[in-house]
Amino acid sequence: MSRRRGLRRLLVLGLVLALIAGGVYTAVAFIQRSETLIAEKCTAAVGSREADLATDQAANAALITAVAVRRGLPPRAASIALATAMQESKLRNIEHGDQAGPDSRGLFQQRPSQGWGTEEQVMDPYYASGAFYDALVKIPDYESLEITAAAQQVQRSAYPQAYAQHEDMGRAFASALTGQSTGALDCTLKSPEAPGDVQAVLGELTAAFGNVPATTDGTTLVLEASGTQAWAVAQWAVANAKSLSVTNVGVEGRSWDRAASNGWQPSESQSGLVTVTVAAGTS
């Protein structure tokens, strides 16, 4: 009898362990499937306007807008630039043109043959954005013009009305990325594929905005900024979270958490500081 009881206990124990193992496997498989099903995108929601961009498009939108912020240009300039780049290149830094401009290149499809610069220059997103703004600010009262009219005076497109279809996107992302609208930009992302590098984040941010006072604390970059600049920097970090492995951004009592996927939430982040945390490596 004691031998039977012992065998019965072993069978029960084996069954329990099997159920536990099965549960763990199911949980892991569920998490993996959930990650696979995540549709990565960035959304800007400002008032009644809401627009989505792919993560690479959002990063380019953040770059274009940061150039406007660095130059002290109004959000309207960024709105016009974003609508233009979306029409010309789908906000991607492409290396080819079309029948209307076979030598067109870059975010704004600028043509070296028409004096926009060398091919290498127009393929540099910072140069291309600066060249666009250089031309835009020469237009009298460009801020009061319709976006399609202002864009057309810069681009001289064969399809001048096409820019209008991107007006809502341009306004929503410009308002968020200039810091005029707080907590307006959110990105839905999978888990980081690689550890982040705070120095790489600082390098990219400096290229975009110029020198922003900064210190590092482990995997967190701490930036001194306030007001619209703080929100411009913070939402730039969210827009670049995929490529820079950013996991958390804190600013003005709110934070964005990549894993939580619930947008900007109240937090204990300090006023006057922006914190950008990247994924840690494994030791």
Side-chain angles (χ1 to χ4, degrees):
M1 290 293 290
S2 60
R3 182 177 297 177
R4 289 180 181 177
R5 283 197 296 270
L7 289 172
R8 193 178 296 118
R9 289 173 180 169
L10 286 174
L11 288 172
V12 170
L13 179 60
L15 179 60
V16 169
L17 291 174
L19 289 172
I20 292 173
V24 170
Y25 174 82
T26 301
V28 171
F30 175 78
I31 292 171
Q32 291 175 335
R33 284 198 302 272
S34 298
E35 279 281 294
T36 302
L37 292 172
I38 290 175
E40 295 190 307
K41 64 178 181 178
C42 292
T43 303
V46 179
S48 61
R49 291 187 175 89
E50 182 172 317
D52 294 332
L53 290 176
T55 55
D56 63 322
Q57 292 175 310
N60 284 327
L63 184 155
I64 292 169
T65 305
V67 173
V69 171
R70 185 173 183 174
R71 289 183 169 216
L73 298 176
R76 183 68 169 177
S79 297
I80 297 167
L82 293 181
T84 301
M86 174 58 88
Q87 174 59 29
E88 297 292 353
S89 69
K90 300 300 181 186
L91 274 169
R92 292 187 166 104
N93 198 32
I94 54 180
E95 299 181 9
H96 58 81
D98 54 29
Q99 291 182 347
D103 66 332
S104 300
R105 298 290 186 272
L107 287 170
F108 294 92
Q109 286 291 278
Q110 293 156 334
R111 300 182 64 183
S113 64
Q114 293 186 351
W116 283 102
T118 66
E119 182 173 335
E120 182 180 2
Q121 285 175 322
V122 298
M123 281 300 298
D124 176 348
Y126 289 105
Y127 175 92
S129 299
F132 179 87
Y133 290 126
D134 285 343
L136 179 65
V137 298
K138 293 177 183 177
I139 299 171
D141 302 318
Y142 74 88
E143 291 181 64
S144 62
L145 295 177
E146 293 292 331
I147 282 181
T148 188
Q152 173 61 6
Q153 288 196 45
V154 175
Q155 298 294 107
R156 303 296 181 184
S157 170
Y159 307 98
Q161 299 304 316
Y163 302 110
Q165 64 187 308
H166 307 299
E167 182 171 346
D168 282 351
M169 180 282 300
R171 287 186 172 182
F173 273 88
S175 186
L177 290 166
T178 58
Q180 298 297 313
S181 294
T182 62
L185 191 144
D186 181 28
C187 292
T188 302
L189 303 171
K190 298 176 183 178
S191 299
E193 297 178 355
D197 181 343
V198 290
Q199 293 302 322
V201 176
L202 180 58
E204 292 290 340
L205 188 141
T206 301
F209 291 99
N211 292 322
V212 179
T215 57
T216 58
D217 182 8
T219 58
T220 297
L221 181 65
V222 182
L223 303 151
E224 296 179 23
S226 59
T228 56
Q229 185 194 32
W231 276 102
V233 168
Q235 293 183 113
W236 172 93
V238 173
N240 285 276
K242 180 175 175 64
S243 61
L244 295 176
S245 296
V246 173
T247 57
N248 185 278
V249 180
V251 57
E252 302 289 347
R254 299 174 72 181
S255 66
W256 175 86
D257 188 294
R258 180 178 184 146
S261 298
N262 59 356
W264 291 90
Q265 298 297 319
S267 73
E268 296 181 357
S269 57
Q270 298 179 37
S271 179
L273 297 176
V274 179
T275 57
V276 181
T277 302
V278 300
T282 57
S283 57

